[in-house]
RNA sequence: GGCUAGUUACCCAAGUGGCCAAAGGGAACUGACUGUAAAUCAGCUGGCUCAGCCUUCGGGGGUUCGAAUCCCUCACUAGCCA
């Protein structure tokens, strides 16, 4: 799915209606005003991403796709990477963040910038822009910050923000550093308003307090009302947070979550959630999605909606080629075919999607489970074998001390933990 | 600055000198069933050269044959006082 092929659904009377239908608006400033602004003319808007990890994840993808939809509707996106806010830390409801070093944050800024840029068009009439808030905060002295910006913030209001009050009410408390975060984010919006006439900030609904911090500041300093819009936190039908696979975040970077694993993640979305996911994470039209919804009702076991979702999102985030690779690998590795009957070429291309390790015959299976990342420790690996959950080339391993002794065509082997966690071993 | 309470494994939380690698719950993982589902049931969850050994109960030091448990100290958190 290249940028050129993406479009909003023209069957909606107005762009705003599509956003609502896709469930992308959890909360916003005056809806009528915002709808009017989005349905007519061009406005400049931004979303901030803090470098808290070397890759963006699915939660960020929601934002990136909303950005892209707004761009397709003719608006101009600014991607803000939080080089300075990432140094301070957005207060989490649970506990204080561990500060990362400046070098690490700078490195992550680079990675996230590159990653986020893939989803937007940097050419044309309303090209995207990429900014780093370190550009306007780094040179700011503490005194200037307190005099020029801090003066506009009332502590009472800051304390009332949910992110802060939650922490004050917890036994962890909050540091002055994280308490100040909302001021920095508010200042970003003001700066972007001044530099680029940016009049809309988007974010996740958990960011609402930080979003309002910016609009309040602009209102105070510039006597101008700006817009805010927050996307809902995506949750599964069972109420759990969406975007975790085996307890780990699903990353957009292929190094952290392979295209195969990424595809599998989407393929495994529950029936109850799949239509909502299609609305949020794909550019499929309303009529296409409604047709898939009907399929979920009539023939849930075929999982056509899940297949469409997995194909679309994997193509979008990685590439159509990567998606096809993941589909092929899924077919080959999920039981339809006997592994031993697979041709060498099919087998090797399927395995290329999996985490892999080189090994010689005679290595212990338990150790290979660890080396491939299928298990966290040798103890855990032994446990998995004892529980009957480990397979080499689809044959159950029963002995905890079993050795690697059997390869398929192409001198490779398939190691499996449980039903669907796979890795490749290549004979060295 | 003072006083009081607290810091236990992924999370919550019990344990107050040996029976503690540490109850219970949640969550994850594995198995059966199934649609590579959901629900349900069962198992399982520090590490290792695994009938044994090693490291863990905020950090460091000490008492003791023996400490998650007692003492000192440092850090952090909460509440109260100044």
């Amino acid at each position: 799915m290249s940028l050129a092929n993406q479009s909003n659904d023209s069957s909606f009377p107005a762009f705003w209606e599509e956003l609502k239908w896709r469930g992308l608006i959890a909360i916003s400033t005056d809806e009528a005003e915002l709808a009017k602004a989005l349905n007519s003319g061009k406005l400049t808007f931004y979303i901030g991403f803090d470098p808290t990890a070397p890759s963006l994840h699915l939660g960020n993808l929601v934002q990136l796709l909303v950005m892209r939809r707004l761009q397709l509707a003719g608006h101009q996106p600014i991607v803000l990477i939080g080089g300075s806010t990432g140094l301070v830390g957005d207060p989490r409801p649970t506990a204080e963040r561990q500060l990362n070093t400046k070098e690490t944050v700078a490195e992550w800024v680079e990675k996230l910038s590159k990653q986020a840029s893939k989803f937007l068009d940097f050419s044309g009439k309303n090209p995207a822009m990429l900014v780093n808030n370190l550009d306007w905060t780094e040179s700011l002295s503490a005194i200037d910050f307190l005099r020029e910006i801090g003066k506009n913030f009332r502590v009472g209001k800051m304390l009332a923000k949910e992110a802060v009050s939650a922490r004050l009410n917890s036994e962890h408390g909050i540091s002055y550093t994280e308490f100040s975060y909302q001021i920095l984010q508010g200042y970003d919006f003001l700066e972007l308003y001044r530099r680029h006439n940016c009049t809309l900030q988007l974010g996740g609904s958990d960011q609402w307090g930080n979003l309002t911090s910016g609009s309040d500041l602009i209102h105070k300093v510039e006597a101008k009302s700006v817009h805010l819009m927050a996307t809902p936190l995506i949750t599964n039908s069972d109420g759990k947070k969406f975007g975790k696979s085996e307890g780990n975040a699903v990353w957009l970077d292929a190094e952290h979550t392979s295209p195969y694993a990424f595809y599998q993640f989407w393929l495994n979305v529950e029936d109850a959630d799949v239509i909502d996911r299609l609305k949020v994470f794909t550019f499929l039209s309303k009529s296409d999605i409604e047709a898939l919804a009907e399929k979920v009702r009539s023939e849930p076991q075929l999982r056509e909606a899940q297949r469409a979702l997995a194909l679309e999102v994997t193509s979008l985030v990685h590439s159509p080629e990567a998606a096809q690779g993941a589909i092929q690998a899924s077919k080959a590795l999920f039981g339809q075919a006997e592994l031993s009957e697979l041709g060498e070429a099919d087998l090797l291309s399927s395995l290329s999607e999996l985490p892999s390790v080189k090994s010689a015959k005679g290595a212990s299976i338990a150790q290979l489970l660890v080396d491939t990342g299928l298990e966290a420790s040798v103890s855990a690996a032994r446990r998995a074998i004892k529980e009957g959950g480990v397979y080499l080339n689809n044959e159950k391993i029963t002995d905890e001390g079993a050795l690697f002794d059997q390869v398929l065509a192409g001198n490779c082997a398939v190691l499996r933990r449980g039903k669907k966690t796979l890795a490749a071993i290549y004979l060295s």
Side-chain angles (χ1 to χ4, degrees):
Chain A
M1 176 69 61
S2 68
L3 289 175
N5 293 333
Q6 294 165 353
S7 68
N8 289 327
D9 186 343
S10 56
S11 71
F12 286 93
F15 173 57
W16 177 258
E17 303 301 317
E18 178 169 359
L19 287 181
K20 296 261 305 192
W21 175 75
R22 289 191 186 270
L24 291 171
I25 303 157
I27 182 172
S28 74
T29 45
D30 190 306
E31 196 174 316
E33 285 293 314
L34 179 56
K36 204 167 84 186
L38 283 174
N39 288 340
S40 60
K42 168 175 137 182
L43 56 80
T44 302
F45 68 98
Y46 96 97
I47 302 186
F49 299 96
D50 274 358
T52 54
S55 170
L56 295 168
H57 52 75
L58 289 187
N60 303 127
L61 183 60
V62 178
Q63 315 294 329
L64 286 165
L65 294 182
V66 172
M67 284 195 110
R68 179 57 181 153
R69 292 184 206 281
L70 262 74
Q71 184 176 39
L72 288 166
H75 305 291
Q76 182 161 29
I78 302 175
V79 178
L80 181 150
I81 303 294
S84 63
T85 34
L87 291 171
V88 168
D90 185 14
R92 280 187 291 208
T94 45
E96 191 82 7
R97 286 175 191 271
Q98 180 83 38
L99 287 178
N100 295 306
T101 66
K102 289 189 172 183
E103 291 71 27
T104 302
V105 172
E107 199 178 298
W108 290 349
V109 164
E110 278 305 304
K111 291 192 169 161
L112 300 200
S113 300
K114 215 174 273 176
Q115 215 174 27
S117 300
K118 272 187 22 187
F119 294 90
L120 296 163
D121 191 347
F122 283 76
S123 61
K125 291 195 297 270
N126 51 335
M129 273 184 282
L130 183 70
V131 299
N132 181 345
N133 55 15
L134 199 58
D135 292 348
W136 53 83
T137 46
E138 194 170 31
S139 58
L140 197 61
S141 77
I143 295 298
D144 288 341
F145 172 76
L146 291 172
R147 286 178 61 89
E148 288 165 29
I149 304 157
K151 196 73 174 170
N152 295 301
F153 285 84
R154 301 275 98 193
V155 168
K157 213 165 180 179
M158 293 174 70
L159 288 171
K161 305 248 160 155
E162 205 178 312
V164 174
S165 69
R167 284 279 293 279
L168 285 174
N169 290 331
S170 81
E171 62 184 81
H172 298 284
I174 186 168
S175 68
Y176 185 73
T177 306
E178 290 194 359
F179 177 60
S180 313
Y181 183 90
Q182 52 179 299
I183 298 186
L184 283 179
Q185 185 164 334
Y187 179 50
D188 284 346
F189 198 1
L190 175 63
E191 197 63 26
L192 290 176
Y193 172 77
R194 286 175 169 165
R195 291 179 178 215
H196 304 294
N197 192 34
C198 175
T199 54
L200 167 64
Q201 184 182 182
L202 272 59
S205 57
D206 57 332
Q207 285 288 307
W208 188 250
N210 290 329
L211 303 188
T212 54
S213 161
S215 62
D216 286 351
L217 180 62
I218 293 173
H219 196 85
K220 203 161 207 166
V221 180
E222 302 285 337
K224 166 84 186 174
S225 285
V226 290
H227 305 288
L228 301 174
M229 193 178 109
T231 55
L233 198 67
I234 310 282
T235 51
N236 290 334
S237 52
D238 57 10
K240 279 182 234 148
K241 201 170 172 185
F242 167 77
K244 300 269 175 176
S245 170
E246 298 202 4
N248 300 314
V250 176
W251 303 102
L252 303 189
D253 185 339
E255 294 285 305
H256 293 90
T257 301
S258 75
Y260 169 79
F262 190 82
Y263 178 86
Q264 283 287 324
F265 171 81
W266 293 102
L267 192 63
N268 281 296
V269 166
E270 288 176 30
D271 296 356
D273 296 318
V274 67
I275 298 304
D276 284 350
R277 299 293 173 271
L278 282 163
K279 290 177 181 175
V280 171
F281 290 97
T282 74
F283 287 91
L284 293 180
S285 69
K286 183 172 182 230
S287 58
D288 286 348
I289 291 175
E290 282 172 349
L292 287 167
E294 184 48 41
K295 288 282 187 185
V296 175
R297 272 189 295 275
S298 58
E299 303 172 285
Q301 73 280 7
L302 295 182
R303 289 184 297 154
E304 282 195 34
Q306 279 90 340
R307 285 178 213 286
L309 177 67
L311 172 64
E312 288 292 321
V313 188
T314 309
S315 299
L316 190 72
V317 170
H318 295 292
S319 69
E321 295 73 35
Q324 288 307 323
I327 290 172
Q328 288 310 315
S330 297
K331 275 191 187 147
L333 300 171
F334 268 96
Q336 280 117 321
E338 268 303 309
L339 284 173
S340 54
E341 288 169 10
L342 275 181
E344 186 174 327
D346 282 351
L347 189 59
L348 287 175
S349 77
S350 300
L351 294 187
S352 69
E353 298 291 329
L354 303 176
S356 69
V357 75
K358 280 197 198 325
S359 175
K361 281 191 181 180
S364 95
I365 296 291
Q367 186 60 48
L368 285 171
L369 283 163
V370 177
D371 293 345
T372 52
L374 258 40
E375 284 291 357
S377 68
V378 176
S379 294
R382 282 170 193 272
R383 195 180 304 131
I385 293 172
K386 200 162 61 188
E387 290 173 335
V390 174
Y391 301 78
L392 179 66
N393 299 328
N394 276 351
E395 276 179 39
K396 184 180 276 195
I397 302 291
T398 49
D399 174 11
E400 289 176 40
L403 302 177
F404 170 50
D405 56 1
Q406 182 197 17
V407 294
L408 301 164
N411 279 334
C412 62
V414 179
L415 191 59
R416 173 156 65 91
R417 190 211 71 211
K419 281 183 183 156
K420 43 193 172 188
T421 314
L422 297 150
I425 304 167
Y426 300 104
L427 202 59
S428 56

